[in-house]
Amino acid sequence: MTKFSAFFIACLLSLTAFAQTERVDSKLNKMINGLAKDFNGDVGIYVKSLKTGKIAAFNADTIFPTASMVKVPITCGIFDKIEKGELDYKAQLTYKDSLLYAGEDILGSFKNGEKIWLTKVLMLMITTSDNTASLWCQSLAGTGVAINNLMAQYGLQYTRVNSRTPDRQANQRKYGWGQTTPREMATLLTLIRDGKMISPAASERIYRNLIRIYYDKEALSEIPPYVQVASKSGAVNASRSEVVLVNAPHGDYVFCITTKNQKDTRWVYDNEGEVLVRKLSKMLWNYFEPKSKWEPAKGMDKYH
């Protein structure tokens, strides 16, 4: 048995153990259900205390669009190639205009033939959610086919890349770039946090990128800025989503919230989906850290 095979089997056994031992936090479950029940659209929520193992859930196994959360599986696909020796983490890449994803991306402003390190492309994909960087990484990872196979190997049966992936056109029409469930996306982030995604070293490098997020006006805005948080959000017109793992003082907790079929499709601060994400994040911070007196500073609204 190879070192990788032993590591992979240990991860699968760990996932199986989690599934068998999950206990419901009845109080928090009631709070979650109360928060979500009147939402104008479909919503899914999964919360887990990594200290106690207790969970709370609402439509946690329903499939939702990932939007930009798909960049977490993509980055895992890249690091899988690096660990196998098929990519060099410190490689210098050459940008081509054909890679452009129209928008406000930093990488998309490059000129044809400019050089950039793979390390920076990976950072841009996660930190600033750069779509051009993400499509480039998806290709370098072996396309959605390789990424989806990797997710399946770790027991994530619904987390998939759909865009530019053979035989996934129907899924793309329904869910967009990628799809997942709240439980699976939270599980993926937990695997990374625990050093069980690909390798301990790869997991640590991925986690370091996930704690440096530019877009912080939703879930992160309701958590003290001095508390470390790994996260990735995503948004398209009728969907808002975010997966968050909080390294809280009295025990880590992870949550994922996803929506679809939202009636409110406005790109504004008070979009109903974004408001729901903030409400959930605030509620969870106060639930897991009840003695915390922290509140967002007055006047912070002008910085969102």
Side-chain angles (χ1 to χ4, degrees):
M1 181 182 293
T2 66
K3 183 177 180 181
F4 176 79
S5 297
F7 177 75
F8 175 62
I9 291 172
C11 290
L12 287 181
L13 290 174
S14 179
L15 277 175
T16 302
F18 282 153
Q20 293 174 342
T21 59
E22 278 191 336
R23 295 172 294 145
V24 175
D25 183 329
S26 299
K27 179 181 178 181
L28 183 57
N29 209 58
K30 184 176 181 180
M31 294 168 66
I32 294 294
N33 279 257
L35 186 70
K37 65 182 179 64
D38 294 325
F39 184 73
N40 291 302
D42 300 318
V43 58
I45 299 172
Y46 178 81
V47 183
K48 185 172 185 177
S49 165
L50 301 182
K51 180 179 181 180
T52 67
K54 289 186 177 181
I55 71 159
F58 184 91
N59 293 333
D61 298 307
T62 300
I63 299 175
F64 287 85
T66 58
S68 285
M69 287 196 307
V70 76
K71 294 161 188 177
V72 181
I74 292 173
T75 202
C76 291
I78 287 284
F79 279 91
D80 186 48
K81 289 283 188 181
I82 293 170
E83 287 291 310
K84 290 176 178 176
E86 298 172 18
L87 279 177
D88 181 358
Y89 180 65
K90 298 178 181 178
Q92 188 178 61
L93 307 178
T94 302
Y95 176 77
K96 297 179 180 179
D97 286 341
S98 59
L99 295 165
L100 176 65
Y101 185 101
E104 299 181 2
D105 293 338
I106 293 173
L107 192 58
S109 67
F110 274 40
K111 295 179 181 178
N112 191 62
E114 285 195 66
K115 306 292 185 181
I116 185 170
W117 303 105
L118 175 58
T119 56
K120 290 186 177 180
V121 176
L122 287 165
M123 178 276 293
L124 289 170
M125 173 173 62
I126 295 297
T127 300
T128 67
S129 206
D130 192 297
N131 288 322
T132 299
S134 303
L135 286 175
W136 197 356
C137 285
Q138 181 173 318
S139 177
L140 290 170
T143 76
V145 174
I147 297 165
N148 292 344
N149 286 339
L150 180 66
M151 294 298 101
Q153 289 170 22
Y154 280 86
L156 305 173
Q157 60 178 317
Y158 302 115
T159 302
R160 297 290 184 268
V161 176
N162 296 326
S163 177
R164 306 188 183 195
T165 303
D167 302 321
R168 300 214 47 98
Q169 292 84 353
N171 295 78
Q172 183 177 0
R173 287 191 292 271
K174 187 172 184 179
Y175 298 110
W177 193 341
Q179 63 184 64
T180 192
T181 69
R183 186 190 304 270
E184 284 200 356
M185 189 54 68
T187 298
L188 177 56
L189 206 58
T190 304
L191 284 169
I192 296 168
R193 174 263 202 187
D194 290 345
K196 295 177 179 178
M197 173 51 61
I198 304 169
S199 74
S203 292
E204 183 173 313
R205 181 62 265 177
I206 294 169
Y207 201 84
R208 287 185 181 276
N209 283 350
L210 289 167
I211 64 174
R212 301 180 175 113
I213 299 297
Y214 174 75
Y215 294 104
D216 60 2
K217 67 184 179 68
E218 276 79 51
L220 302 190
S221 70
E222 301 302 324
I223 300 167
Y226 46 79
V227 172
Q228 181 171 278
V229 181
S231 70
K232 188 71 193 77
S233 63
V236 290
N237 286 342
S239 174
R240 300 294 189 272
S241 59
E242 195 156 0
V243 59
V244 181
L245 199 156
V246 185
N247 301 130
H250 294 90
D252 292 2
Y253 62 93
V254 64
F255 67 94
C256 181
I257 176 170
T258 55
T259 74
K260 61 183 178 181
N261 302 320
Q262 284 192 199
K263 291 184 179 180
D264 188 351
T265 60
R266 300 171 301 149
W267 290 90
V268 293
Y269 181 72
D270 63 347
N271 172 279
E272 187 181 12
E274 296 184 20
V275 170
L276 183 65
V277 172
R278 288 193 291 272
K279 284 183 176 180
L280 174 64
S281 184
K282 181 176 183 178
M283 183 179 79
L284 293 176
W285 173 256
N286 289 330
Y287 185 79
F288 289 113
E289 296 293 333
K291 294 183 179 180
S292 172
K293 303 299 181 183
W294 181 85
E295 292 283 349
K298 291 182 179 180
M300 274 298 294
D301 54 317
K302 67 174 175 287
Y303 294 114
H304 292 315

